[in-house]
């Protein structure tokens, strides 16, 4: 998969993309991530990328021209399945959305800033708008990093043990069961005996019951969605 990210702050991605799973996925060649500084596509002398809103109102608006030029140039070389704009008014990012995006070949992710982007970008270039939650961030960069992580970790070959993504919370609309590691007793606090019983069938049953119980307690809405 190729992911092209359009941003005013490319350095914000240095940390998340150079560590752990995202680093490994890029090293293995499973995903190629290109960061594009929108300012580089500004034709003005001072590399301006924002301007006052027509009709007034607080806050600056990201200009259409630099973003349009950048997207058009990328599209000359690559065919994209989706041009995604990260915005609090987009469709909520859920595990099914991440699953579907992980099956695509090439995507563009546009990070907004200031009071938003010129609406004509949304009308003419954006194919999908995604929000990572019902709160407002200062810009789309952190949301883009979250989206990229959620999508890339699902791609075949990224996780060492492919089943570990399948057993994530939300994959089957259930929250994951609790997990434990050694020591089996710490300060008198014991690991559930079934987990060290060696009885695989009982362990599978226990984990499923725990998942159901946790979901019932913490996220009953997920059970309704799944028809439990
Ligand atoms: N940009 C600002 N807030 C956002 C959010 N909640 N999700 C995605 N992009 C955003």
């Amino acid at each position: 998969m190729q992911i092209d990210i359009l941003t005013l702050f490319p350095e914000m991605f240095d940390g998340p993309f150079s560590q752990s799973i995202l680093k490994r996925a890029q090293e293995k060649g499973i995903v190629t991530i290109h960061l594009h500084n929108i300012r580089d596509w500004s034709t003005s002398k001072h590399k301006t990328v924002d301007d006052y809103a027509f009709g007034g109102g607080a806050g600056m608006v990201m200009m259409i021209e630099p973003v349009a030029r950048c997207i058009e140039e990328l599209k000359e070389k690559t065919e994209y399945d989706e041009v995604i704009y990260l915005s609090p008014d987009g469709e909520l990012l859920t595990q099914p959305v991440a699953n579907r995006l992980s099956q695509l070949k090439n995507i563009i992710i546009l990070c907004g800033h200031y009071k938003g982007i010129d609406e004509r970008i949304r009308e003419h270039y954006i194919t999908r708008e995604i929000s990572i939650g019902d709160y407002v961030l200062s810009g789309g960069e952190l949301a883009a990093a979250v989206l990229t992580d959620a999508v890339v970790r699902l791609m075949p070959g990224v996780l060492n043990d492919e089943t570990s993504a399948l057993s994530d919370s939300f994959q089957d609309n259930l929250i994951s069961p609790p997990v434990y590691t050694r020591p089996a007793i710490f300060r008198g606090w014991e690991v559930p005996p079934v987990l060290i019983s060696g009885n695989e069938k009982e362990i599978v049953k226990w984990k499923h019951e725990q998942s159901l119980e946790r979901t019932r307690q913490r996220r009953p809405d997920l059970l309704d969605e799944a028809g439990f």
Side-chain angles (χ1 to χ4, degrees):
M1 176 188 256
Q2 179 179 321
I3 304 179
D4 287 272
I5 300 180
L6 279 56
T7 170
L8 289 170
F9 302 98
E11 293 84 7
M12 282 185 75
F13 295 91
D14 289 351
F17 289 180
S18 64
Q19 309 287 325
S20 185
I21 307 264
L22 284 179
K23 179 186 180 197
R24 214 170 54 224
Q26 291 173 88
E27 284 172 352
K28 285 183 175 173
I30 298 168
V31 67
T32 309
I33 303 174
H34 298 296
L35 294 167
H36 306 279
N37 191 336
I38 295 167
R39 214 170 279 281
D40 295 340
W41 273 268
S42 169
T43 50
S44 76
K45 196 166 132 210
H46 298 291
K47 297 282 173 203
T48 311
V49 287
D50 61 326
D51 209 337
Y52 294 100
F54 277 130
M60 303 294 273
V61 176
M62 269 170 75
M63 295 162 71
I64 185 167
E65 198 205 5
V67 174
R69 291 185 64 229
C70 181
I71 293 177
E72 281 165 11
E73 196 175 311
L74 290 175
K75 279 183 165 178
E76 277 172 21
K77 283 180 257 152
T78 309
E79 224 172 275
Y80 293 94
D81 302 300
E82 297 279 11
V83 182
I84 298 167
Y85 175 52
L86 287 162
S87 150
D89 36 274
E91 160 196 18
L92 209 57
L93 176 62
T94 59
Q95 200 59 37
V97 171
N99 284 339
R100 260 175 269 128
L101 293 176
S102 75
Q103 286 156 19
L104 303 180
K105 199 157 176 286
N106 303 312
I107 57 174
I108 288 177
I109 300 177
L110 171 63
C111 307
H113 248 273
Y114 310 115
K115 219 42 204 163
I117 53 172
D118 190 304
E119 187 65 20
R120 291 166 292 184
I121 294 174
R122 296 165 90 158
E123 284 168 11
H124 297 286
Y125 297 101
I126 300 302
T127 60
R128 193 156 186 174
E129 304 202 3
I130 293 179
S131 162
I132 65 161
D134 289 342
Y135 42 82
V136 179
L137 301 165
S138 314
E141 283 74 15
L142 293 174
V146 168
L147 175 66
T148 304
D149 186 281
V151 168
V152 170
R153 65 192 299 285
L154 296 172
M155 296 172 63
V158 171
L159 298 182
N160 285 337
D161 175 2
E162 276 200 37
T163 59
S164 66
L166 293 177
S167 62
D168 282 346
S169 283
F170 303 114
Q171 281 297 9
D172 47 10
N173 264 31
L174 293 177
I175 286 175
S176 295
V179 291
Y180 301 85
T181 186
R182 287 184 293 179
I185 304 176
F186 177 74
R187 296 191 184 145
W189 304 327
E190 290 182 22
V191 164
V194 62
L195 293 179
I196 38 184
S197 68
N199 186 335
E200 199 51 40
K201 208 171 137 213
E202 283 301 311
I203 293 173
V204 170
K205 186 165 156 249
W206 181 87
K207 285 185 176 174
H208 185 64
E209 284 165 2
Q210 290 289 316
S211 275
L212 266 177
E213 190 46 36
R214 284 208 157 185
T215 314
R216 216 171 270 133
Q217 281 171 6
R218 298 175 188 209
R219 291 293 305 275
D221 56 303
L222 292 176
L223 295 177
D224 296 341
E225 266 173 41
F228 275 97

